Amino acid sequence: TGGCCCRLFSQYETPRQVLVRSRRVGVVCRLIQLGVLAYIIGWVFIYEKGYQSSDTAVGSVLTKMKGVGYTNVTGEERIWDVADYVFPVQGDSSFVVMTNYIMTKGQKIEKCSELYPSCLFSVSHPTPPQGHMTGKCLVNTTKMCEVLAWCPVEDDSSIPDPALLMSAENFTLFIKNTINFPAYGVMRCNLVEGIDNQYIKSCLYDPKTAPLCPIFRLGDLVQMSGFNFAAIAKVGGAIGIIIDWTCNLDHDQSDCKPIYSFHGLYGNPDEADTARASVGYNFRYAKHYMEDKQEKRTLLKVFGIRFDIIVRSVARKFDIIPTLTAIGSGVGIFGVATVVCDLILLYLLPKREFYNNMKFKVTETMEKVSLHQTVA
Amino acid sequence: TGGCCCRLFSQYETPRQVLVRSRRVGVVCRLIQLGVLAYIIGWVFIYEKGYQSSDTAVGSVLTKMKGVGYTNVTGEERIWDVADYVFPVQGDSSFVVMTNYIMTKGQKIEKCSELYPSCLFSVSHPTPPQGHMTGKCLVNTTKMCEVLAWCPVEDDSSIPDPALLMSAENFTLFIKNTINFPAYGVMRCNLVEGIDNQYIKSCLYDPKTAPLCPIFRLGDLVQMSGFNFAAIAKVGGAIGIIIDWTCNLDHDQSDCKPIYSFHGLYGNPDEADTARASVGYNFRYAKHYMEDKQEKRTLLKVFGIRFDIIVRSVARKFDIIPTLTAIGSGVGIFGVATVVCDLILLYLLPKREFYNNMKFKVTETMEKVSLHQTVA
Amino acid sequence: TGGCCCRLFSQYETPRQVLVRSRRVGVVCRLIQLGVLAYIIGWVFIYEKGYQSSDTAVGSVLTKMKGVGYTNVTGEERIWDVADYVFPVQGDSSFVVMTNYIMTKGQKIEKCSELYPSCLFSVSHPTPPQGHMTGKCLVNTTKMCEVLAWCPVEDDSSIPDPALLMSAENFTLFIKNTINFPAYGVMRCNLVEGIDNQYIKSCLYDPKTAPLCPIFRLGDLVQMSGFNFAAIAKVGGAIGIIIDWTCNLDHDQSDCKPIYSFHGLYGNPDEADTARASVGYNFRYAKHYMEDKQEKRTLLKVFGIRFDIIVRSVARKFDIIPTLTAIGSGVGIFGVATVVCDLILLYLLPKREFYNNMKFKVTETMEKVSLHQTVA
């Protein structure tokens, strides 16, 4: 009677169930179900916050070093300020602070001699010569080759020890970090509420007493990354500064604060012991000038601490989709619990035969079925 | 009869159900089920595209500035071209365009005087002196200390106003951005179909008329980020340029186009009012040279606009796994709908007693059960 | 008898089911269920490793170039070492190796002439003039304008061909990459087990024989990215080096090794044919010096290969949450299989009428129900 659609709306099907009146079965199965429920609510929802969606931020980092270094090499006093010891100068999130150097002054392009295993061909590997081999071996010298190079060639056989710019330990680093969670329209800066101009003028980062101060002493940074300053200053190294933003945007935005952590990337003196490759960090840098109408340069082999500022961010906020997905998936797991209970009921209990009869109604083989139907 | 496996394949179990012939229950329950179905299909599948997997891209950004600046400071005319006002020069995704500067010419390392609160110890904080304190106070002057420094020391007490390079407003920025979705083997460039050499020669980005032109006028960029050019040019600031690639790869690849957006990161004049720290953006940069056999340098305190080009990308494509996961989860939620209907049926309806009897078959207590079985 | 909670624990409900004893139905439905099971176990668990959670790494990249270039331009021999041909010098993950250049020596700020379409206004677009227009047209010359500029202005109408630094082909690049999976507390370096100081001294990357050697020959890099070295060296280009860390942390950590891959980003000569914009890669760079008390500079238009080192990382490890989510979702899909089987049973089979009767117990219309109940 009525259309198919009409019929659909005038009835409702619900599974028929057996109510097993047994304390033993009841307790076991309820406990299993409770466990599943506790897992879904406690773990997925409360601990893992499965009712929230998450988004990562796009961010921007500015840095600024402060401090003046002083060196006195064989009577020559020199001053190193920010424009001299930071590479690059413009305050990137990845930069190098020079702590030691080998300076070769007054280089110009000409022919001079360099000690090298073979003077015949320019071998690119493992350590190339500093100049272009002319192919000539200089008289009366073994393996002393004539090269066209920036002469005099650099002699980096010994690294100044202690590092020339040990005073870098007291330099300070100021970090400014802005992040933006576009999915939630939230923008945060590491100068959070309460970190004003006044506070910044006097604070210094300390993991316990000033965990939000964005000004870091280089010596502290090195120590917190597990390095020894004297060692890293001599040969150079790399330190990662991780700014961790883990924000629960269901709470107030002002609870969304950065956590700084520090870890050494290279230059660990322990690594040196294990004969692993490439300890330290250095690069070459030249300042060009003209003298007597001739181009000259001062070559610096710079040993320094490289800082990589890495921003990790995740914001979480209530969202209906993951909530329903978690519920749906939870109901599925609930179904697994029912299956487990049924297996116990139907295969392990002494009265399993009886429960089987209660749960299942068997369609007889075809002949019997017809008979059965006729009888009914 | 037959093996367990054979028996398994010769039968099939399906839940027995009660068909409740009630228009009221039917309508309510069907509506709940329809709602769930609409949610799964409409929201999860159509709106959130739950049948697609997603991947983010790896990308590369090149930039190129164009334009020439001109300054006339007390009669000295100067020209600033790309090699002078962009830091770094090589066209990175993060770079600074100089808009203002304080130039200190002819610095050399010697002893001179600097005004500082205390001449006894070199305090690293809050503002360190520009040189290395010798510990001497100069005669007849209060707090005028002798320092070993690049002398004369910089006087940055007043910033040129208006900014010296106000002409930077007309500089143009060209962005080239290539992204690669390795999971789908798709590579896209912001010079999409139709953006050819001819078009680039004459176009200028405009959010409405030319949203795909990769050439931006600096003045427009600043304005679109909500800044005032004169203000940001004077003290410096930072602007984020977000290139958003949201691609549905089930459609044609040529529909995958970048969307540019702009937002100010620092230097907002409004921030200044709230006494928040560190307005503006500046860094120091030195050009070294030799004069009369002595090393000298020209120090520039550079105020500029820092641009951070941030690429956000997500590509989506049909994938069987998320599709089936969404369906599976949806079936689970459907199960929740059934539970809700059952609750209404068994606890809220007037005939709930009757429906309870229909739905549940109760196993009697053990004695009765035995009796029941015997009787049957 | 007893409280609601007590009653809940002393009983357990399980669905009543029809056991359909039919080989045809059994085989079809079991096959469908087996298919779903195979999908869940085989695809979700084994192939997609749905029992694992995943995390991406934070990483840091250091690079170091080696090799010396030699040029002989009209009799002037020059040597180019790392400090000269790498931009920036400090070994970033994104850097440029100069392969060709146009050098303009001895520029100073003065008035000179430049060929330009119009001498009246400084048009910022499409190619701005190199200097600041004074507005004067020089006598007897068409479109030869007087400009205040770094004079003599650069003439970049012809690019040196072949590239001046073709020897860059033999330069080598050393990459050091450390990654950190904070969620699993795992840190890995591309100098994995077995890649020691000794090996690095003599190895050269080769995709087959030395896939873990972190030293790359520039010529090989260019070739592996599908470029022609002579072409890219002349006009410049960009190459992406992708370091792929896909780690299964359920296995031993030492199995977590990087895979290098290379692809060209710009400068593809094929692109040139399609008249797409901006082939090649170049930037301008100036070295300032003082001569006769006057500031001068050497301008270099640098053509080079830009390398972007991109780290992609994903680590996977067994986690209970995705395991249970996958199971829960799988049970849901199992439910879909049951629905499909039921549809076959109830609508397609010849005996559907019979199965319908077995499966469903219909509540009669209200009057009949009362009657029925009374009779019962």
Side-chain angles (χ1 to χ4, degrees), chain B residues 156-167:
Chain B
D156 60 352
S157 53
S158 75
I159 303 172
D161 191 5
L164 296 170
L165 275 161
M166 278 298 287
S167 51

Side-chain angles (χ1 to χ4, degrees), chain C residues 140-183:
Chain C
N140 294 335
T141 53
T142 327
K143 289 178 178 174
M144 187 58 84
C145 316
E146 193 193 62
V147 288
L148 177 73
W150 287 97
C151 295
V153 297
E154 181 191 84
D155 171 23
D156 60 353
S157 54
S158 74
I159 304 172
D161 191 4
L164 296 170
L165 275 160
M166 278 298 287
S167 51
E169 199 166 0
N170 289 316
F171 294 173
T172 58
L173 165 65
F174 170 61
I175 299 177
K176 199 164 177 182
N177 172 223
T178 302
I179 58 163
N180 189 9
F181 294 104

Side-chain angles (χ1 to χ4, degrees), chain B residues 35-336:
Chain B
V36 171
L37 206 68
Y39 158 77
I40 294 170
I41 293 176
W43 189 258
V44 178
F45 274 80
I46 295 174
Y47 186 79
E48 294 277 331
K49 301 206 171 52
Y51 57 88
Q52 293 181 320
S53 68
S54 68
D55 187 43
T56 56
V58 294
S60 170
V61 172
L62 291 189
T63 58
K64 196 164 195 172
M65 290 292 307
K66 270 189 182 163
V68 175
Y70 164 83
T71 58
N72 187 335
V73 182
T74 60
E76 191 198 352
E77 290 184 311
R78 253 192 100 90
I79 284 299
W80 300 88
D81 64 9
V82 181
D84 296 329
Y85 66 69
V86 178
F87 302 87
V89 286
Q90 71 266 17
D92 276 0
S93 66
S94 174
F95 63 96
V96 180
V97 174
M98 181 167 81
T99 53
N100 204 2
Y101 61 86
I102 295 170
M103 195 190 280
T104 314
K105 286 187 177 177
Q107 287 189 324
K108 58 185 170 188
I109 293 175
E110 58 186 2
K111 289 196 176 104
C112 55
S113 62
E114 187 182 356
L115 196 73
Y116 205 69
S118 159
C119 298
L120 291 177
F121 290 101
S122 169
V123 190
S124 71
H125 211 62
T127 313
Q130 291 185 43
H132 182 76
M133 296 267 173
T134 60
K136 244 192 273 179
C137 273
L138 296 183
V139 194
N140 294 332
T141 52
T142 325
K143 290 178 177 174
M144 186 58 86
C145 316
E146 193 194 63
V147 288
L148 177 75
W150 287 97
C151 295
V153 297
E154 179 190 86
D155 171 22
D156 60 352
S157 53
S158 75
I159 303 172
D161 191 5
L164 296 170
L165 275 161
M166 278 298 287
S167 51
E169 199 167 0
N170 289 316
F171 294 173
T172 57
L173 165 65
F174 169 62
I175 299 177
K176 200 165 178 184
N177 173 220
T178 302
I179 59 162
N180 189 9
F181 293 104
Y184 307 125
V186 169
M187 198 165 196
R188 296 288 294 165
C189 178
N190 69 332
L191 308 174
V192 294
E193 292 76 9
I195 311 295
D196 57 12
N197 226 331
Q198 201 54 39
Y199 180 69
I200 283 180
K201 274 207 178 102
S202 63
C203 78
L204 197 60
Y205 175 84
D206 182 281
K208 278 184 194 130
T209 61
L212 289 172
C213 176
I215 294 171
F216 305 84
R217 197 177 149 270
L218 237 60
D220 296 346
L221 285 178
V222 167
Q223 190 215 310
M224 286 184 289
S225 335
F227 284 126
N228 170 272
F229 192 84
I232 203 177
K234 188 192 159 201
V235 297
I239 287 174
I241 301 178
I242 296 183
I243 306 181
D244 199 328
W245 294 88
T246 305
C247 296
N248 186 340
L249 294 181
D250 290 335
H251 296 177
D252 197 82
Q253 259 192 45
S254 60
D255 289 345
C256 173
K257 288 173 181 172
I259 294 168
Y260 302 93
S261 65
F262 316 91
H263 60 265
L265 297 171
Y266 314 103
N268 199 326
D270 298 346
E271 270 182 36
D273 295 334
T274 63
R276 279 292 195 75
S278 296
V279 171
Y281 170 70
N282 62 73
F283 62 90
R284 282 183 185 82
Y285 165 70
K287 287 186 278 190
H288 291 255
Y289 58 91
M290 292 298 255
E291 204 175 49
D292 307 330
K293 306 277 174 199
Q294 197 176 12
E295 190 177 351
K296 293 193 177 179
R297 70 175 196 183
T298 299
L299 181 69
L300 264 98
K301 179 165 184 177
V302 175
F303 300 86
I305 307 171
R306 182 191 166 116
F307 292 94
D308 280 328
I309 299 175
I310 299 157
V311 179
R312 303 190 73 222
S313 58
V314 61
R316 302 184 146 274
K317 199 171 189 177
F318 172 77
D319 192 357
I320 191 74
I321 298 270
T323 307
L324 287 173
T325 303
I327 290 175
S329 172
V331 170
I333 300 171
F334 224 86
V336 176

Side-chain angles (χ1 to χ4, degrees), chain A residues 313-326:
Chain A
S313 57
V314 61
R316 302 185 146 273
K317 199 171 189 178
F318 171 77
D319 192 355
I320 191 73
I321 298 271
T323 307
L324 288 173
T325 303

Side-chain angles (χ1 to χ4, degrees), chain C residues 269-314:
Chain C
D270 298 346
E271 271 182 35
D273 296 334
T274 64
R276 280 290 196 75
S278 296
V279 171
Y281 171 70
N282 62 73
F283 62 89
R284 282 183 184 80
Y285 165 71
K287 286 186 277 191
H288 290 255
Y289 58 91
M290 291 298 257
E291 204 175 49
D292 308 329
K293 306 279 174 198
Q294 198 177 11
E295 189 178 352
K296 293 194 176 177
R297 70 174 196 183
T298 300
L299 181 69
L300 264 98
K301 180 166 183 176
V302 174
F303 300 86
I305 307 171
R306 181 190 167 118
F307 292 94
D308 279 328
I309 298 175
I310 299 156
V311 180
R312 304 191 71 222
S313 58
V314 61

